[in-house]
Amino acid sequence: MFAEPNAASLAAPLFRESFKSDFPTPRATRVLGVPIEPADWRQYVAMYRWPDGQEECVGFCNWIRYKDVYLEGGLAVKRDFYRRLDREHFVACRMRGGIAQIVMEAAATELNDCVAWFGYCGDAKALQVDLRVGYVQTEHAFVIVKWMRELSVADQRQWIDEVIRIGPF
């Protein structure tokens, strides 16, 4: 597991397979008027080395720093990865919660310099993993949050309302 400033060379095929869209290449943009620079993007990649020495990108996720939170999106796991694993590696991966959970747990050790992570999740299986790593659902469809610091209810509400104004990410 490692972070890349731009993981397109490793993860673009996986992203395209998973989402049928172009890879989220880090770029300068604005979110609700707040400038976002390529340096605000964090892309995590899970690589697997097969017995023949071939390496394959089997997991990816993108985080964008927005003010004092991270917006998480694009979580993808290679669809046929688990079926191709030998039993021993399958069991070991399952014991750790699977590739998606491993990616998020690795990122949490580094991307903890914020008040929260926000995600936009519409997939039931992905939501199960998100809940296992500490996300909670909000009252807004698809928007989930993982609080990284203790905040008052009013401050939590303010962050949730602001992220809702961003829309899907």
Side-chain angles (χ1 to χ4, degrees):
M1 178 67 46
F2 57 92
E4 282 284 310
N6 180 349
S9 65
L10 298 169
L14 169 60
F15 192 86
R16 188 168 287 109
E17 173 188 298
S18 298
F19 296 104
K20 311 294 187 256
S21 63
D22 292 334
F23 186 80
T25 303
R27 66 192 178 284
T29 188
R30 295 181 89 70
V31 174
L32 299 181
V34 175
I36 305 294
E37 298 299 327
D40 295 321
W41 294 59
R42 308 290 191 278
Q43 297 186 328
Y44 281 74
V45 178
M47 301 294 291
Y48 184 78
R49 184 179 312 242
W50 294 97
D52 66 2
Q54 291 286 329
E55 283 194 334
E56 179 181 5
C57 176
V58 297
F60 168 80
C61 196
N62 188 59
W63 281 265
I64 300 172
R65 180 71 180 230
Y66 169 77
K67 295 184 177 180
D68 202 17
V69 300
Y70 284 100
L71 307 175
E72 178 187 355
L75 180 61
V77 174
K78 187 79 174 169
R79 291 185 201 282
D80 65 349
F81 173 64
Y82 298 113
R83 286 194 313 258
R84 294 183 288 140
L85 279 178
D86 65 34
R87 175 122 179 95
E88 179 184 346
H89 285 184
F90 174 81
V91 170
C93 189
R94 186 174 182 196
M95 293 294 291
R96 293 186 59 196
I99 296 299
Q101 185 167 330
I102 292 167
V103 169
M104 286 189 281
E105 287 175 347
T109 66
E110 298 174 358
L111 302 181
N112 54 15
D113 60 336
C114 61
V115 297
W117 287 3
F118 281 90
Y120 198 89
C121 182
D123 179 84
K125 283 177 68 175
L127 181 60
Q128 290 176 348
V129 178
D130 293 330
L131 296 175
R132 281 197 313 261
V133 299
Y135 275 94
V136 294
Q137 294 177 288
T138 69
E139 67 274 12
H140 301 278
F142 310 119
V143 177
I144 57 177
V145 61
K146 177 179 179 169
W147 299 110
M148 305 298 270
R149 293 189 204 143
E150 290 287 326
L151 294 177
S152 69
V153 172
D155 287 343
Q156 288 180 357
R157 167 68 26 228
Q158 183 178 351
W159 274 112
I160 291 169
D161 290 347
E162 186 164 343
V163 168
I164 295 302
R165 289 197 320 269
I166 294 172
F169 46 87

